[in-house]
Amino acid sequence: MSKVWFVTGSSRGLGREFVAAALARGDRVAATARSTASLDDLVAAYGDAILPLEMDVTDRAAVFSTVRRAEEHFGRLDVIVNNAGYAQVGAVEELSEQELREQLETNLFGAAWVIQAVLPYLREQRSGHIIQLSSAAGVIAMPLGGAYHASKWALEGLNEALAGEVADFGVKVTIVEPGGFATRGGKNPDPLANGHMARTQPAYDDLRRRLAALVGRQPAGDPAAAAQALLKIVDADRPPLRVLFGQGFYPLVQQVYADRLKTWADWQDLSAEAQGHRVG
């Protein structure tokens, strides 16, 4: 049975590849973006199977209206891909209030509005699959990515809680954590390298130079391959709550989690003292 998709951030990169892969196998797609002009070729190729919709995820009212239009057009919604987002780059001290707020408005609040808009339909039909695009940056953190990490770490917690809330309604949730993919005209595996830059302070120039020297050591992933992998997830009877897309960050994630566990274990005596228990 073919599926109906609702995909945000469809104009380029992974979002566009997800739309193209779904259409190619006979599914129907409501493809949203702030500008849908780049989807004209897909409309010409697939006709009524694709419904391009202009939408800004930061506009809650527009999100609800667009979701309603998509559901009325296709009659149902099966796969919701929360993909819209961008990376704000800069040391925490360098971030302006506007930059930090806009990062969270798009990456976190925008995803939340889509979830809230689609859930009444998914609950009523007692089925559906919400795919949240997070990042390897949603489970580890690197210097100069504080705003982006904050948004993605928040999305991880939001969607993990969501998974427990909607399971009884037959709705599934999967958090996809890509590493670096060649999505904007150049193969750059750094998940922060394609972001918006904060106004720099000279105090962090040496750090920027050291980090720049590390960029490019991991091969960039193929967005088309990621789209085919996503098809397997949406077709799975028991999809994962979390999945990394790309292998480059897996060893680093393993080390980060091992270090966290060790630190918590090393400081267990202090943890007990903090609760009021005497140790020794």
Side-chain angles (χ1 to χ4, degrees):
M1 179 179 175
S2 66
K3 293 180 169 66
V4 176
W5 296 54
F6 185 93
V7 183
T8 68
S10 297
S11 62
R12 60 184 178 181
L14 289 172
R16 181 185 166 87
E17 292 294 340
F18 296 155
V19 171
L23 291 169
R25 73 172 195 165
D27 289 350
R28 294 172 292 169
V29 182
T32 78
R34 284 178 296 176
S35 173
T36 59
S38 64
L39 300 172
D40 288 349
D41 60 324
L42 294 179
V43 174
Y46 295 101
D48 293 341
I50 177 173
L51 177 65
L53 296 167
E54 291 193 357
M55 183 184 80
D56 181 346
V57 295
T58 66
D59 184 338
R60 188 174 186 270
V63 169
F64 275 72
S65 175
T66 304
V67 167
R68 181 172 61 252
R69 181 179 170 189
E71 196 278 338
E72 290 175 350
H73 181 84
F74 287 121
R76 64 181 294 112
L77 299 171
D78 299 303
V79 181
I80 313 302
V81 183
N82 248 335
N83 172 70
Y86 70 96
Q88 174 65 55
V89 182
V92 172
E93 185 182 356
E94 294 172 332
L95 297 170
S96 69
E97 178 180 351
Q98 181 178 356
E99 286 168 336
L100 182 55
R101 288 186 181 278
E102 288 181 352
Q103 178 76 112
L104 296 175
E105 286 286 348
T106 297
N107 291 12
L108 175 60
F109 286 94
W113 304 153
V114 172
I115 290 168
Q116 290 181 346
V118 302
L119 274 179
Y121 302 109
L122 303 188
R123 284 191 291 101
E124 183 177 0
Q125 67 192 30
R126 301 195 71 81
S127 67
H129 195 167
I130 297 172
I131 306 292
Q132 176 64 61
L133 265 290
S134 177
S135 169
V139 291
I140 60 176
M142 298 176 290
L144 306 185
Y148 185 59
H149 292 305
S151 70
K152 292 299 186 179
W153 284 45
L155 279 175
E156 295 266 342
L158 183 80
N159 280 271
E160 184 170 333
L162 175 69
E165 294 165 356
V166 300
D168 289 344
F169 304 118
V171 178
K172 303 169 185 176
V173 178
T174 295
I175 305 167
V176 176
E177 300 154 338
F181 279 81
T183 59
R184 301 196 182 186
K187 290 190 175 183
N188 198 329
D190 181 355
L192 302 179
N194 291 317
H196 297 209
M197 296 295 298
R199 184 175 181 179
T200 61
Q201 292 192 21
Y204 298 98
D205 287 347
D206 286 343
L207 175 61
R208 264 183 283 275
R209 283 191 288 269
R210 293 198 303 272
L211 291 176
L214 299 175
V215 173
R217 292 188 179 183
Q218 296 291 345
D222 178 3
Q228 294 302 312
L230 187 65
L231 294 181
K232 292 184 178 181
I233 289 174
V234 301
D235 289 342
D237 291 332
R238 299 179 63 183
L241 173 61
R242 284 183 171 84
V243 60
L244 287 167
F245 269 19
Q247 294 182 305
F249 279 87
Y250 182 55
L252 180 57
V253 170
Q254 284 182 301
Q255 186 59 56
V256 166
Y257 273 80
D259 290 345
R260 288 177 188 170
L261 290 169
K262 184 178 185 303
T263 299
W264 284 322
D266 289 346
W267 289 84
Q268 272 297 292
D269 287 351
L270 186 67
S271 299
E273 289 180 24
Q275 193 170 348
H277 296 295
R278 289 187 174 277
V279 177

